[in-house]
Amino acid sequence: MSTVRRPDHRSEQHGSHRSARSPHSAGLRHVLTHLITPLLMCIGMGLAYLGAFANPAPHHLPVAVVGQGRSAQLLAQSINDKADGDLEVWTVADRAAAVDRLKHQEIFGAYVIHAQGVAKDATKTSAKGTEKAPAKGASGGAGSGGTAAASAKAAPELLVATAGSDTSASVVQKVFTPIAARQGAPLKVTDVAPTAENDPTGQGIFFLLVAISIGSYASVAVIGGAGAVLPVRLRAALAIGTSFVVSLIGAAFAGPVFHLVDHGLRGLWGMAWLYSAGILLIGTGLHTFLKRWTTLGVMALFVMLNFTSSGGIFRPEMQNGFFAALHSFWNGAGFVEGTRSHVYFDDYGLPGHIWTLAGWLVAGLLMVGAAALAEKRRRTAEAEAAANAAAVAAAAVAATVPEPEPEPTRKRGGRTVRSAGGAGPEAGAGAADTAAAAAAEADLDVDLDVETEMEEAVGV
């Protein structure tokens, strides 16, 4: 007697639930995969910004004591001993030499001891008998006025250059204010290299760097992603043209829009173009190798390591050794220090900063060249693989499909008519439709990846 098995509704339900969950599982995996990039950005930005800016402290910050004789040397030695490596205190013979060193950014503060000179002048005057000291117990405004005049002359002076770094000037002022207080005189602060009127802290150049950088590396996602179908030479031309537009926007911000600089705008524009072109060319070349990870790569290069080592907020003497070392050759430091040198310090040191920017531009050109070679090899390999696959498919079809029999013909109304059943042009229509659908789906996936990459780049 045969046994009739009832359908297992539980297994059918389980299968239906599994099929219902599978689309959501695929979508969830897709989202989680793309969440890796912003999480890595969060970690990288935290490590870079907090590592560079969280605890600024001077490290061998060069300053000077202006004066001749033993008193100046003793004061410099005393400050050096108490600073314990935070400062490097030099002695400078006179005020003019101190100003020259400040304008060459060899030092970031100079303490001028006027009391020493006043004491020597008083001794010489008394020996000549040209001025009498007031009698003991004498009263009147003359004696008080003389004391006040002597105190005013004895007031020490601190020379700073805020255009080089406002934060460094503030640190130097905090160091020498207590020293002046021990002399019983107020500290006079003189700025020998002030910033532009509309950029009192001098940090406008840094924020200009931020704007140019974002315009540059966000354009990399567009050129590398949406322009991936273009030859490398056209993408490189687009990168250079985009850098020209970005640099013009930066020059407009620095000049007529916000008046961050009051002269030297052409030189600033030239350095902005070099800086932007380097970023765009490097990013365009990297896109060939990194694909959707290009955004993370250019952010690491031109945000995390670049902004923190540029010297726009804190100079390298106020940072740890890692970011101080990057400052010597990174492109953001080349732009910030080059702009400062051109606008505020009579082009002193400018050639070195321009060479830094030019070096990054050359690195971009080399990266584009490497990308062109890699894409050429990739296209050759893909063409060979496609040819091999076509040959294998043709051989398989020839081996499995029998030869078509001759179609019978018959006369109908004076015409020769082939009977149905043979393979005609319509036989491959289904395969063509399937191939077209697969190609459309692949194009859609590429478009989604490009859109995601551009949103990540621009959104940050």
Side-chain angles (χ1 to χ4, degrees):
M1 183 177 179
S2 62
T3 304
V4 179
R5 299 183 62 184
R6 295 181 180 180
D8 190 350
H9 297 289
R10 289 177 298 176
S11 61
E12 290 180 0
Q13 275 186 338
H14 185 67
S16 63
H17 287 320
R18 182 182 299 171
S19 61
R21 284 198 302 266
S22 58
H24 298 292
S25 299
L28 183 60
R29 284 195 301 270
H30 182 74
V31 172
L32 291 177
T33 301
H34 281 78
L35 276 176
I36 295 175
T37 300
L39 292 177
L40 290 176
M41 289 179 181
C42 177
I43 295 172
M45 295 288 281
L47 291 174
Y49 273 72
L50 295 177
F53 298 148
N55 186 26
H59 299 281
H60 303 285
L61 183 68
V63 295
V65 172
V66 181
Q68 295 179 348
R70 185 172 177 78
S71 60
Q73 293 177 357
L74 289 176
L75 178 59
Q77 186 61 45
S78 174
I79 297 173
N80 258 330
D81 294 341
K82 293 179 181 179
D84 193 22
D86 294 341
L87 303 175
E88 285 187 4
V89 188
W90 305 86
T91 56
V92 180
D94 52 36
R95 189 179 186 277
V99 171
D100 184 67
R101 289 198 175 190
L102 280 167
K103 290 188 175 181
H104 288 171
Q105 293 187 286
E106 296 174 1
I107 58 175
F108 295 94
Y111 185 74
V112 184
I113 307 175
H114 282 297
Q116 182 182 7
V118 172
K120 289 182 178 179
D121 293 342
T123 303
K124 292 178 182 179
T125 304
S126 177
K128 292 179 181 179
T130 56
E131 183 178 13
K132 294 183 179 180
K136 186 177 181 179
S139 61
S144 300
T147 304
S151 299
K153 289 182 180 179
E157 181 183 17
L158 179 63
L159 305 177
V160 295
T162 55
S165 174
D166 181 70
T167 53
S168 297
S170 299
V171 169
V172 171
Q173 188 170 348
K174 289 180 180 179
V175 169
F176 286 102
T177 297
I179 296 174
R182 287 197 292 270
Q183 288 186 267
L187 180 64
K188 177 186 176 183
V189 180
T190 302
D191 192 352
V192 301
T195 58
E197 182 179 357
N198 290 299
D199 186 20
T201 64
Q203 295 178 4
I205 296 174
F206 170 75
F207 293 108
L208 177 64
L209 170 79
V210 173
I212 296 173
S213 302
I214 292 177
S216 300
Y217 81 74
S219 300
V220 168
V222 179
I223 296 173
V229 295
L230 299 175
V232 175
R233 64 179 183 276
L234 288 182
R235 277 179 275 158
L238 283 173
I240 294 175
T242 303
S243 66
F244 180 78
V245 176
V246 170
S247 63
L248 287 178
I249 295 173
F253 284 154
V257 179
F258 293 106
H259 303 285
L260 300 178
V261 298
D262 49 15
H263 64 280
L265 191 59
R266 290 184 180 180
L268 183 148
W269 167 77
M271 286 182 280
W273 177 80
L274 283 173
Y275 173 75
S276 178
I279 293 177
L280 273 155
L281 289 173
I282 290 175
T284 300
L286 281 177
H287 195 278
T288 298
F289 305 99
L290 301 182
K291 299 297 182 184
R292 62 178 294 264
W293 300 102
T294 305
T295 298
L296 182 62
V298 295
M299 280 198 65
L301 288 174
F302 305 119
V303 176
M304 300 174 191
L305 300 178
N306 188 27
F307 294 169
T308 51
S309 64
S310 65
I313 302 297
F314 298 111
R315 283 192 54 82
E317 294 84 5
M318 296 291 295
Q319 296 181 303
N320 57 45
F322 175 74
F323 294 101
L326 292 182
H327 181 85
S328 61
F329 64 92
W330 218 255
N331 60 342
F335 175 76
V336 170
E337 298 296 350
T339 302
R340 285 172 173 168
S341 173
H342 180 58
V343 176
Y344 298 119
F345 296 101
D346 299 326
D347 293 337
Y348 181 79
L350 180 61
H353 303 310
I354 292 178
W355 277 114
T356 297
L357 296 174
W360 282 81
L361 179 63
V362 171
L365 292 172
L366 293 176
M367 184 63 68
V368 169
L373 291 176
E375 291 188 9
K376 183 178 179 181
R377 292 176 181 175
R378 188 179 302 167
R379 285 193 302 268
T380 302
E382 290 174 353
E384 292 177 354
N388 293 334
V392 171
V397 169
T400 57
V401 177
E403 291 291 333
E405 297 180 358
E407 298 177 357
T409 59
R410 62 178 181 275
K411 295 285 185 176
R412 179 180 295 176
R415 293 180 300 169
T416 301
V417 181
R418 292 182 180 272
S419 62
E426 293 83 1
D433 292 341
T434 304
E441 185 176 356
D443 291 340
L444 179 60
D445 292 339
V446 171
D447 290 340
L448 288 175
D449 288 340
V450 171
E451 183 179 357
T452 302
E453 182 181 350
M454 287 189 287
E455 286 178 353
E456 288 174 352
V458 178
V460 175

